[in-house]
PDB file of all heavy atoms in Angstrom:
ATOM      1  N   MET A  28       0.843  -1.183   0.000  1.00 84.00           N
ATOM      2  CA  MET A  28       0.000   0.000   0.000  1.00 84.00           C
ATOM      3  C   MET A  28       0.886   1.244   0.000  1.00 84.00           C
ATOM      4  O   MET A  28       1.840   1.335   0.757  1.00 84.00           O
ATOM      5  CB  MET A  28      -0.911  -0.034   1.220  1.00 84.00           C
ATOM      6  CG  MET A  28      -1.841   1.117   1.314  1.00 84.00           C
ATOM      7  SD  MET A  28      -3.085   0.811   2.576  1.00 84.00           S
ATOM      8  CE  MET A  28      -4.388   1.771   1.912  1.00 84.00           C
ATOM      9  N   VAL A  29       0.552   2.172  -0.839  1.00 95.00           N
ATOM     10  CA  VAL A  29       1.337   3.389  -0.991  1.00 95.00           C
ATOM     11  C   VAL A  29       0.908   4.429   0.061  1.00 95.00           C
ATOM     12  O   VAL A  29      -0.271   4.527   0.408  1.00 95.00           O
ATOM     13  CB  VAL A  29       1.202   3.944  -2.424  1.00 95.00           C
ATOM     14  CG1 VAL A  29      -0.208   4.373  -2.724  1.00 95.00           C
ATOM     15  CG2 VAL A  29       2.160   5.062  -2.669  1.00 95.00           C
ATOM     16  N   THR A  31       0.007   7.916   0.898  1.00 98.00           N
ATOM     17  CA  THR A  31      -0.467   9.125   0.212  1.00 98.00           C
ATOM     18  C   THR A  31      -0.512  10.336   1.145  1.00 98.00           C
ATOM     19  O   THR A  31      -1.054  11.380   0.770  1.00 98.00           O
ATOM     20  CB  THR A  31      -1.859   8.881  -0.395  1.00 98.00           C
ATOM     21  OG1 THR A  31      -2.767   8.516   0.650  1.00 98.00           O
ATOM     22  CG2 THR A  31      -1.816   7.796  -1.448  1.00 98.00           C
ATOM     23  N   LEU A  34       0.388  13.771  -0.291  1.00 98.00           N
ATOM     24  CA  LEU A  34      -0.653  14.374  -1.135  1.00 98.00           C
ATOM     25  C   LEU A  34      -1.774  14.945  -0.273  1.00 98.00           C
ATOM     26  O   LEU A  34      -2.223  16.072  -0.505  1.00 98.00           O
ATOM     27  CB  LEU A  34      -1.211  13.346  -2.121  1.00 98.00           C
ATOM     28  CG  LEU A  34      -2.401  13.826  -2.968  1.00 98.00           C
ATOM     29  CD1 LEU A  34      -2.034  15.073  -3.764  1.00 98.00           C
ATOM     30  CD2 LEU A  34      -2.888  12.711  -3.873  1.00 98.00           C
ATOM     31  N   ILE A  35      -2.212  14.205   0.716  1.00 98.00           N
ATOM     32  CA  ILE A  35      -3.288  14.678   1.594  1.00 98.00           C
ATOM     33  C   ILE A  35      -2.859  15.969   2.302  1.00 98.00           C
ATOM     34  O   ILE A  35      -3.644  16.918   2.409  1.00 98.00           O
ATOM     35  CB  ILE A  35      -3.683  13.598   2.620  1.00 98.00           C
ATOM     36  CG1 ILE A  35      -4.198  12.344   1.908  1.00 98.00           C
ATOM     37  CG2 ILE A  35      -4.698  14.125   3.620  1.00 98.00           C
ATOM     38  CD1 ILE A  35      -5.403  12.564   1.033  1.00 98.00           C
ATOM     39  N   ALA A  72      -7.951  10.690 -11.175  1.00 98.00           N
ATOM     40  CA  ALA A  72      -8.582   9.673 -10.331  1.00 98.00           C
ATOM     41  C   ALA A  72      -9.561   8.824 -11.134  1.00 98.00           C
ATOM     42  O   ALA A  72      -9.581   7.594 -11.013  1.00 98.00           O
ATOM     43  CB  ALA A  72      -9.291  10.333  -9.154  1.00 98.00           C
ATOM     44  N   LEU A  75      -7.780   6.347 -13.425  1.00 97.00           N
ATOM     45  CA  LEU A  75      -7.239   5.202 -12.696  1.00 97.00           C
ATOM     46  C   LEU A  75      -8.347   4.256 -12.249  1.00 97.00           C
ATOM     47  O   LEU A  75      -8.174   3.033 -12.270  1.00 97.00           O
ATOM     48  CB  LEU A  75      -6.436   5.678 -11.482  1.00 97.00           C
ATOM     49  CG  LEU A  75      -5.099   6.342 -11.803  1.00 97.00           C
ATOM     50  CD1 LEU A  75      -4.520   7.002 -10.562  1.00 97.00           C
ATOM     51  CD2 LEU A  75      -4.120   5.342 -12.375  1.00 97.00           C
ATOM     52  N   GLU A  76      -9.457   4.815 -11.850  1.00 96.00           N
ATOM     53  CA  GLU A  76     -10.567   3.998 -11.361  1.00 96.00           C
ATOM     54  C   GLU A  76     -11.265   3.245 -12.492  1.00 96.00           C
ATOM     55  O   GLU A  76     -11.610   2.072 -12.354  1.00 96.00           O
ATOM     56  CB  GLU A  76     -11.587   4.880 -10.629  1.00 96.00           C
ATOM     57  CG  GLU A  76     -12.740   4.115 -10.034  1.00 96.00           C
ATOM     58  CD  GLU A  76     -13.699   5.002  -9.277  1.00 96.00           C
ATOM     59  OE1 GLU A  76     -13.736   6.225  -9.523  1.00 96.00           O
ATOM     60  OE2 GLU A  76     -14.432   4.466  -8.428  1.00 96.00           O
ATOM     61  N   ALA A 100     -11.251  16.202  -4.694  1.00 98.00           N
ATOM     62  CA  ALA A 100     -10.534  15.624  -5.822  1.00 98.00           C
ATOM     63  C   ALA A 100      -9.197  15.026  -5.380  1.00 98.00           C
ATOM     64  O   ALA A 100      -8.812  13.946  -5.841  1.00 98.00           O
ATOM     65  CB  ALA A 100     -10.314  16.679  -6.899  1.00 98.00           C
ATOM     66  N   GLY A 101      -8.505  15.703  -4.480  1.00 98.00           N
ATOM     67  CA  GLY A 101      -7.228  15.195  -3.981  1.00 98.00           C
ATOM     68  C   GLY A 101      -7.384  13.898  -3.217  1.00 98.00           C
ATOM     69  O   GLY A 101      -6.603  12.956  -3.377  1.00 98.00           O
ATOM     70  N   ARG A 102      -8.406  13.827  -2.397  1.00 98.00           N
ATOM     71  CA  ARG A 102      -8.649  12.600  -1.631  1.00 98.00           C
ATOM     72  C   ARG A 102      -9.120  11.462  -2.534  1.00 98.00           C
ATOM     73  O   ARG A 102      -8.742  10.303  -2.324  1.00 98.00           O
ATOM     74  CB  ARG A 102      -9.631  12.861  -0.502  1.00 98.00           C
ATOM     75  CG  ARG A 102      -9.009  13.701   0.598  1.00 98.00           C
ATOM     76  CD  ARG A 102      -9.939  13.921   1.778  1.00 98.00           C
ATOM     77  NE  ARG A 102      -9.252  14.614   2.835  1.00 98.00           N
ATOM     78  CZ  ARG A 102      -8.592  14.013   3.823  1.00 98.00           C
ATOM     79  NH1 ARG A 102      -8.532  12.701   3.864  1.00 98.00           N
ATOM     80  NH2 ARG A 102      -7.995  14.715   4.754  1.00 98.00           N
ATOM     81  N   ASP A 103      -9.918  11.790  -3.534  1.00 98.00           N
ATOM     82  CA  ASP A 103     -10.333  10.759  -4.497  1.00 98.00           C
ATOM     83  C   ASP A 103      -9.110  10.188  -5.221  1.00 98.00           C
ATOM     84  O   ASP A 103      -9.011   8.973  -5.409  1.00 98.00           O
ATOM     85  CB  ASP A 103     -11.311  11.322  -5.524  1.00 98.00           C
ATOM     86  CG  ASP A 103     -12.718  11.528  -4.975  1.00 98.00           C
ATOM     87  OD1 ASP A 103     -13.009  11.064  -3.854  1.00 98.00           O
ATOM     88  OD2 ASP A 103     -13.519  12.164  -5.683  1.00 98.00           O
ATOM     89  N   LEU A 104      -8.199  11.059  -5.617  1.00 98.00           N
ATOM     90  CA  LEU A 104      -7.001  10.598  -6.298  1.00 98.00           C
ATOM     91  C   LEU A 104      -6.126   9.771  -5.361  1.00 98.00           C
ATOM     92  O   LEU A 104      -5.588   8.733  -5.756  1.00 98.00           O
ATOM     93  CB  LEU A 104      -6.209  11.777  -6.863  1.00 98.00           C
ATOM     94  CG  LEU A 104      -4.919  11.415  -7.612  1.00 98.00           C
ATOM     95  CD1 LEU A 104      -5.199  10.466  -8.780  1.00 98.00           C
ATOM     96  CD2 LEU A 104      -4.222  12.672  -8.081  1.00 98.00           C
ATOM     97  N   ALA A 105      -6.004  10.187  -4.120  1.00 98.00           N
ATOM     98  CA  ALA A 105      -5.168   9.465  -3.156  1.00 98.00           C
ATOM     99  C   ALA A 105      -5.603   8.010  -3.013  1.00 98.00           C
ATOM    100  O   ALA A 105      -4.764   7.115  -2.868  1.00 98.00           O
ATOM    101  CB  ALA A 105      -5.205  10.172  -1.804  1.00 98.00           C
ATOM    102  N   VAL A 106      -6.885   7.766  -3.094  1.00 97.00           N
ATOM    103  CA  VAL A 106      -7.410   6.403  -2.980  1.00 97.00           C
ATOM    104  C   VAL A 106      -6.961   5.538  -4.158  1.00 97.00           C
ATOM    105  O   VAL A 106      -6.758   4.333  -4.008  1.00 97.00           O
ATOM    106  CB  VAL A 106      -8.955   6.428  -2.886  1.00 97.00           C
ATOM    107  CG1 VAL A 106      -9.543   5.043  -3.017  1.00 97.00           C
ATOM    108  CG2 VAL A 106      -9.397   7.082  -1.598  1.00 97.00           C
ATOM    109  N   GLU A 107      -6.785   6.147  -5.314  1.00 97.00           N
ATOM    110  CA  GLU A 107      -6.483   5.397  -6.538  1.00 97.00           C
ATOM    111  C   GLU A 107      -4.993   5.239  -6.828  1.00 97.00           C
ATOM    112  O   GLU A 107      -4.614   4.379  -7.619  1.00 97.00           O
ATOM    113  CB  GLU A 107      -7.161   6.065  -7.738  1.00 97.00           C
ATOM    114  CG  GLU A 107      -8.664   6.120  -7.654  1.00 97.00           C
ATOM    115  CD  GLU A 107      -9.310   4.752  -7.566  1.00 97.00           C
ATOM    116  OE1 GLU A 107      -8.775   3.788  -8.154  1.00 97.00           O
ATOM    117  OE2 GLU A 107     -10.352   4.644  -6.897  1.00 97.00           O
ATOM    118  N   LEU A 108      -4.151   6.051  -6.223  1.00 98.00           N
ATOM    119  CA  LEU A 108      -2.719   6.011  -6.544  1.00 98.00           C
ATOM    120  C   LEU A 108      -2.091   4.693  -6.118  1.00 98.00           C
ATOM    121  O   LEU A 108      -2.438   4.133  -5.077  1.00 98.00           O
ATOM    122  CB  LEU A 108      -1.997   7.190  -5.890  1.00 98.00           C
ATOM    123  CG  LEU A 108      -2.398   8.560  -6.415  1.00 98.00           C
ATOM    124  CD1 LEU A 108      -1.661   9.650  -5.655  1.00 98.00           C
ATOM    125  CD2 LEU A 108      -2.140   8.679  -7.906  1.00 98.00           C
ATOM    126  N   ARG A 109      -1.151   4.236  -6.942  1.00 96.00           N
ATOM    127  CA  ARG A 109      -0.563   2.913  -6.716  1.00 96.00           C
ATOM    128  C   ARG A 109       0.946   2.926  -6.483  1.00 96.00           C
ATOM    129  O   ARG A 109       1.542   1.890  -6.244  1.00 96.00           O
ATOM    130  CB  ARG A 109      -0.892   2.016  -7.899  1.00 96.00           C
ATOM    131  CG  ARG A 109      -2.377   1.747  -7.990  1.00 96.00           C
ATOM    132  CD  ARG A 109      -2.733   0.921  -9.202  1.00 96.00           C
ATOM    133  NE  ARG A 109      -4.153   0.642  -9.237  1.00 96.00           N
ATOM    134  CZ  ARG A 109      -5.061   1.397  -9.823  1.00 96.00           C
ATOM    135  NH1 ARG A 109      -4.684   2.513 -10.408  1.00 96.00           N
ATOM    136  NH2 ARG A 109      -6.330   1.068  -9.814  1.00 96.00           N
TER     137      ARG A 109
END
Side-chain angles (χ1 to χ4, degrees):
M28 181 168 208
V29 64
T31 59
L34 174 58
I35 299 301
L75 289 169
E76 183 178 22
R102 289 183 175 269
D103 285 350
L104 180 58
V106 170
E107 299 300 327
L108 294 178
R109 294 177 178 90

